[in-house]
Amino acid sequence: VSWTPKLNSKELIQGSLPNVKVPTSVKDECCCLLTFSDERVSLTSSFVVRPLADEPKHIKCEIKGPNIIKMGEKLQDEIEIMITDQHGNQIQSLSSSCMNALKISGNGLDKSELKTFWQ
């Protein structure tokens, strides 16, 4: 990220930097380099902006294996459930205690065969 020479030096001296657009994906990082110089002093500093996931917003489910079965057959594969934020970033801050709040239901679902586990 580069800033134009229209940087307010009074704000910089007070510790305020220009606005930086933060990426929405936690996989993207923004490396910033700030260089300020005038006739008396020169300052160079750099930093990296690493976005964090936002509040949980969506539940994504994915069947691990074939997703077609005949009526009456039991699904043998796992269904992976992911909690994501509004930008699709997976929420990593959840713990295994969240499993107590997870409720699974469905028409005709035989819960005696249902197994849940934390990964």
Side-chain angles (χ1 to χ4, degrees):
V1 172
S2 299
W3 289 292
T4 62
K6 296 260 182 201
L7 185 64
N8 185 332
S9 60
K10 289 179 185 176
E11 288 181 8
L12 182 62
I13 290 169
Q14 293 175 349
S16 296
L17 295 175
N19 292 334
V20 176
K21 183 174 168 105
V22 176
T24 57
S25 172
V26 295
K27 296 176 184 174
D28 296 334
E29 293 181 348
C30 179
C31 185
C32 304
L33 175 65
L34 174 67
T35 302
F36 173 78
S37 59
D38 63 13
E39 54 277 344
R40 292 176 283 136
V41 69
S42 178
L43 168 72
T44 300
S45 181
S46 64
F47 56 93
V48 175
V49 176
R50 290 185 182 95
L52 300 173
D54 199 359
E55 294 293 317
K57 180 88 172 188
H58 302 285
I59 297 176
K60 291 184 176 181
C61 300
E62 182 180 333
I63 296 174
K64 297 295 185 180
N67 60 359
I68 298 174
I69 58 172
K70 294 179 183 174
M71 291 291 289
E73 285 185 352
K74 293 179 185 173
L75 180 64
Q76 300 298 319
D77 297 300
E78 298 173 357
I79 299 174
E80 183 177 274
I81 299 172
M82 294 168 284
I83 310 296
T84 62
D85 69 4
Q86 64 181 336
H87 304 290
N89 298 306
Q90 191 169 350
I91 306 296
Q92 300 292 337
S93 59
L94 299 176
S95 65
S96 60
S97 63
C98 294
M99 292 293 289
N100 297 333
L102 179 65
K103 304 293 181 222
I104 301 171
S105 64
N107 293 339
L109 178 65
D110 180 3
K111 290 187 179 183
S112 67
E113 298 283 332
L114 187 63
K115 296 177 189 131
T116 60
F117 58 92
W118 180 259
Q119 262 183 306

